[in-house]
Structures are given as C-alpha cells and as structure tokens.
Amino acid sequence: MKRTLPGFPLSFGFMMFYMSFIVFIPLIALVWYTMGIGWEAFWNAIFDPRLFAALRLSFSASFIAAIINGVFGLLIAWVLVRYDFFGKRIMDGMIDLPFALPTAVAGIALTSLYAENGWIGSLLAPLGIQVAFTPIGVTIALTFIGLPFVVRMVEPVLRSLDQETEEAAGLLGASPFTIFKTVLLPLLTPAILAGMTLAFARALGEYGSVVFIAGNIPMQTEIVPLLIMNKLEQFDYAGATAIATVMLALSFILLLGANILQWWLSRNLGQKVVDSSR
Amino acid sequence: MNTMSITITGITKDFGKTEVLKNINLTVKEGELLALLGPSGSGKTTLLRMIAGLEHASKGEIFFDGNNVTNVNAKDRNVGFVFQHYALFSHMKVKDNIAYGLRVKKKKDRPTKSQIDSKVNELLELVKLEGLGERYPSQLSGGQKQRVALARSLAIEPSVLLLDEPFGALDAQVRKELRRWLRTLHKQTGVTTVFVTHDQEEALDVADQVIVLNDGEIIQEGTPSHIYDSPNSPFMYRFLGNANELKGTATKEGISIGGVTLASGEPHADGANVISYVRPHEISLAHASGNDHHLEVEITKTHPVGPIVFIEAKRLDGDRERIEIELTKGSYDNLSIKIGDIMYARVERFGTFQANEYMI
C-alpha cells in the first residue's frame, strides 16, 4: 500500500533510535551489570524468602488493583460519557489527579486516612478491619494511582460507539443488562484490557505512595521496589540489580502476554468495530 | 405472521419550546406499506421512533390493533426496526446478528438451537444472502448490510416493520434495486410496514399509501398516484419535483394569466390574486397559436438529457417570467425547436391556490 506520509524506513529507524536511548540501553545496562556479579551472588540475592513474599504481594496487589480499576474505571467512563450533570468538567479533570500528585503526598494522605485513628480507619477499626500496614492498604494505594488508565482508555471508545446499535438490540427484545453483556462489553473489552494492563504495569513499579501505608513489615507488607531501595541504602548494588532483573523479566512476560491478548482481541473485535463504522 | 394495524391519535411532541410534531392523527392498515415522506426536519423520523417506542410523545396515543401501546417499552412492542446506518452488531457474524432477537428471548419463549438455525437459514434465503452467514458485517457491502439488518428485524416476527431512511446510505443503483426488492418482500411477508424517506420518487415507487409531513404536520395523504396527480398545496407542488409558478387573477371564466384565461374547476373568489402551479412536463409547445389559450414564449435554452429535453423559455406577455418545459426527445425533434423561436405554450394541467396561502 502506497502512503503519502514518511515511509517505513525513516519512521522505523527513528523508533529504534528513540526506544534504544529511552528503554533498551538502560535495561541492557541493568542486565549487564547483574551478569557481572556472578551466578552465586545472583542466586544468593534471589533465593530469599523475603523477596518471594514481596514478589507475591507486588504482583497480587497490582493485579487486584488492576481488576478493581477495570470495573470502576468502566463505570466512571460510562457516567462521564453518557450523562450530563453539574460539575462534570471538574470531575473529568479530577480523574487525572493521581497522575499529577507526587506519589509520596498520596501515600501520606492515604495513610493518615486509613490509620487506626484516621477518618476512615477509625470507622473500620471497630469492625475488626485494619487497612493501614496490611496488604489491603497496599492494594488501596495501588488502586489510587492506577485509576486514570482505564477511564482514559475506555472513554474515547465508548464515545465513538453508535447508540443505534444499543437501540437495535433493545428493539429486538434485549433487556438493558443483556445489551450491556452482549453488545457493549464485547466492544469495550480491548480498551478495558489495555487500561488494566497499563494500571497493572504502573502498580508494579510504584514505590512512593505504597511505602507509607504498607508499614513495610518483612514477609508481610514489603513490596519489591522497597526491597530494592533497602539494598541500595545498604550499598548492595549487586543485590538491588539482581532483584530488579527478576522483576523486569516477570513484568516483561506478563505485559507481553497482556499485549498479545489485546492484539488478538482487537483483531477479532476492534478492527471490525472500526471497519463497519466507515 | 401476526401483523397489526397502527393507529396514532393526537400525537404531539415538543423538545422544550420547539414543537416537532403537532397533533398527528393517522392509521396504517394491517398489511399496508406506508411511506412517511417529508423534507429533513419535518418530524418524520421522530414519528417513526415514537411508533417503535424509542421516543415518547408529549401528548397523544399509539395503538397496535386497538391495544394502547403508548406506555409500552420499546423492547416489549415487538417491532422490527431498520436504521439508516444498519446498526449491525459488528462483533457478531451475520448469522448471529440475525439470531440475536431469538437468543435474547426469555427461556420459556426461546426456540431451540436447531429451530433458531433453521429460522436463520430461512431468513438468509429470504434476503438473498445464502452462504454469507459466517461473514462479519465489515465484510459486506452496504446493500448486503441493510439486508442483514432487515433479516435481523424480521427474525422476531414483528407485528409491524419500521424502516428509517433504509436506503439513504446506499448509492443510486443499489437503492433502486433494493426498493423494488423491498416491495416484493413486503408482498411475501405481508407485515405492516412504515418507512421514512425524504426521496419523493422512492415513496411514490414503493408505497401503497404516502403521508407527506412538513414542519410536524401532515400536509397530504393518499395513494402515490393521488398525491402526484392532485397536490393539495403549493408546498406539495414544490416538494414533489419542479413546478412553474404562474401569477394570475381569478375571474368568472377561470384563471387569467398574462393574456390568456385557463378554465379552472376550482372556485376562487372573483378578482383574487392566485398562483397556478404547472409541472414542466405538463406543458406542450406549438409553433402556431391555437384557439385554446396559448401563452406566447421565446425559447432561451435547450438542454437534452437522454430521452428528455429540458427547455427554458421567456414569457412574452406582461410578466416576462422564465418558465421550464420538459419535452420528450421525440416531440422535441418533431418540432425542430431552435433557440430564439417564438412559440406557444399550452398548459395541460395545473393547480391554483390563493396567493396569500403561500406567502409568508
């Protein structure tokens, strides 16, 4: 296919150059440095029950946070696109606040809210629910910072959907729930998944907002980035890079999987949405 | 199929201050094919969406076979609806699109899998799309998509079938083909059908009955030939193609236009200012003046398009207005008309209205 815009060689070359500087070279340097410390030092740094617990917490809390954001992000996008209400613009602007706020500020605010003597914490304490300094607190912090992704991914897709399609389903006898399940959700799934993937990736690397609310109890509420910081503070650069490499490999595998899933879904759903609207 | 009649009484719809529909009353007989014809903004689509239950009237009632459905939800009205832009489910195959209405039925009403499959095949055959059931909508042409939409709406065996500018998004060739086919399909299924269009040719070609709407009001209703032969207002003359407007005065003998008097069956107050509407092809030309009221004109332009020749002429009497005449190629050649010829135009047929009826 002949195109008028700058061709493949130029744009591909530029992409490789840019990606090399911003992503590949720093990551290769990391792996290179890790290899330099030798296998024994590497295994010693890796086979650590504290690291296993932290990996489990980081991945599971990030995953749960991504799911929560998937559900509520869709809901928020729905309300913002489909309804008009007073203060809609302000609400719309506030969605992005978790991005703009220094994460430490968010962490301190969340901790003071959810601590046993905080506004929300003091309400939950009599029920025997402790949020701050538990995995629940970690999940809440990660949910907070991941909120904008799903909303911003779903919004444009939802806006571009033809309402007549929903009307058509309704006229054929489908209930609102059936319309949502059979018509809307299939069309929105690629966008929801893309947003959840971004939220998940962001949550994996998050440090600032989590360390305050987590309490950093070894084996219980330590996240992987915290372990890396700990090693760095002890000038154990080799240990820090070893953990980072493991984290990098796991993240890459998961994100690649998520991208393949999205690619497959959009080939089977999204492309058709685009085509038929022409 | 158990098809139903539609009765609409006193339907009014306003969006805030603007009235989109003003006290509409109409009946669609069981098994009839009715066209709602009107320019854009006439309220025809709103009326159709109201019959479907997608819009709600500010006032008035809608009955299907005498049952008041005014407050029945769209999903419970059992209407088939076809949208201008198809509104197909792009993530479903053609056969799943068609089966949708059957699959979402409540368990006790839902046909079995094999019943659904055979119904889908039957409908694919009906809309002449055999073998395309496994395709996705994006792999179909516009005309095919619209036929899938039609099959989908027929799957639920609707009481009435509603089509909103069904051929509006298609090119001329396909449009002509599809509207003939719709006519045949309507004969086969016999379902009461209402379709909205702004294309007068389409309405006259396809429908049993035509209702013309303008500014939220019914202007005229009747069979296509009645609508075409006896337009009841200046609006109708202008909307159904071109018409020459000839200013004149009503007299006891008829309508006096320029130097001639045309016999008119309609009574108009003596001396009233009137306007007569004459369609371009309802004027004939002759080189010699006859004894039956010929307007003297000078030919200013001729423009043959296929079998028809469009002629512009200037009246030589008082008003010196430009009039348009359409002749067949045959009679044009017989008369050997040249630009600058002085000829005599005979008005074969016309409609006359008081001048103040149309002046705004």
Side-chain angles (χ1 to χ4, degrees), chain B residues 24-324:
Chain B
I24 299 285
N25 295 288
L26 65 87
T27 303
V28 191
K29 290 200 205 79
E30 194 183 310
E32 198 168 68
L33 176 50
L34 178 120
L36 283 176
L37 173 65
S40 53
S42 59
K44 55 193 192 301
T45 294
T46 308
L47 185 59
L48 192 79
R49 287 173 62 85
M50 234 170 239
I51 300 173
L54 294 172
E55 306 265 355
H56 291 280
S58 313
K59 238 186 282 171
E61 285 170 324
I62 298 171
F63 300 87
F64 286 178
D65 258 4
N67 300 315
N68 192 334
V69 296
T70 317
N71 296 317
V72 175
N73 271 337
K75 90 178 182 60
D76 301 319
R77 283 195 196 186
N78 197 39
V79 300
F81 200 101
V82 173
F83 293 88
Q84 181 176 1
H85 297 288
Y86 330 121
L88 293 176
F89 308 127
S90 52
H91 58 293
M92 294 181 203
K93 289 177 178 170
V94 165
K95 64 177 171 96
D96 298 320
N97 264 281
I98 297 175
Y100 188 85
L102 300 173
R103 291 205 181 125
V104 299
K105 277 185 194 290
K106 286 199 195 77
K107 218 166 206 151
K108 65 179 168 63
D109 305 323
R110 195 185 306 152
T112 63
K113 235 182 164 131
S114 62
Q115 282 172 324
I116 292 179
D117 285 347
S118 70
K119 181 87 193 171
V120 167
N121 286 331
E122 193 184 301
L123 285 163
L124 279 171
E125 204 175 306
L126 184 71
V127 299
K128 307 218 166 5
L129 291 174
E130 300 101 325
L132 298 186
E134 297 293 327
R135 299 249 186 118
Y136 281 95
S138 58
Q139 297 164 307
L140 302 179
S141 71
Q144 289 172 329
K145 281 183 200 169
Q146 199 56 297
R147 281 186 279 161
V148 173
L150 199 55
R152 181 178 68 177
S153 65
L154 289 172
I156 57 168
E157 308 202 343
S159 321
V160 301
L161 179 61
L162 309 172
L163 305 104
D164 184 10
E165 302 257 10
F167 315 128
L170 306 171
D171 56 51
Q173 183 85 32
V174 181
R175 197 183 312 171
K176 218 160 217 170
E177 222 170 89
L178 267 190
R179 74 193 194 206
R180 285 297 159 85
W181 173 78
L182 174 68
R183 175 110 209 116
T184 324
L185 187 80
H186 175 255
K187 278 218 183 86
Q188 281 174 28
T189 59
V191 61
T192 309
T193 304
V194 180
F195 79 100
V196 154
T197 179
H198 64 270
D199 179 345
Q200 36 102 3
E201 197 188 315
E202 190 170 290
L204 300 181
D205 184 12
V206 178
D208 299 325
Q209 286 283 319
V210 179
I211 290 185
V212 182
L213 284 170
N214 187 37
D215 274 342
E217 284 174 306
I218 293 178
I219 305 296
Q220 192 171 8
E221 53 184 298
T223 61
S225 54
H226 173 76
I227 296 269
Y228 190 76
D229 292 341
S230 333
N232 68 356
S233 58
F235 168 81
M236 290 295 295
Y237 266 103
R238 276 185 241 127
F239 185 60
L240 297 176
N242 271 356
N244 292 298
E245 299 182 11
L246 306 176
K247 292 196 183 100
T249 319
T251 63
K252 283 200 185 69
E253 291 77 40
I255 310 296
S256 163
I257 293 166
V260 304
T261 300
L262 306 171
S264 165
E266 304 157 60
H268 287 281
D270 200 7
N273 287 328
V274 295
I275 293 187
S276 291
Y277 290 83
V278 188
R279 294 202 171 103
H281 67 269
E282 289 173 343
I283 299 176
S284 60
L285 286 173
H287 280 291
S289 166
N291 50 4
D292 43 0
H293 319 306
H294 284 22
L295 285 169
E296 196 179 9
V297 297
E298 182 190 335
I299 306 298
T300 56
K301 212 187 253 179
T302 63
H303 179 52
V305 178
I308 295 167
V309 184
F310 296 92
I311 297 168
E312 281 183 28
K314 196 168 68 184
R315 277 167 62 188
L316 295 178
D317 57 58
D319 285 355
R320 305 189 75 83
E321 279 170 327
R322 197 177 61 90
I323 61 172
E324 288 173 18

Side-chain angles (χ1 to χ4, degrees), chain A residues 94-114:
Chain A
M94 283 182 33
I95 302 286
D96 296 325
L97 270 187
F99 277 176
L101 218 56
T103 49
V105 176
I108 291 163
L110 285 173
T111 310
S112 59
L113 269 182
Y114 284 100

Side-chain angles (χ1 to χ4, degrees), chain A residues 11-24:
Chain A
S11 48
F12 184 75
F14 191 79
M15 179 188 94
M16 291 309 287
F17 174 78
Y18 189 81
M19 289 286 284
S20 300
F21 261 82
I22 303 292
V23 183
F24 299 150

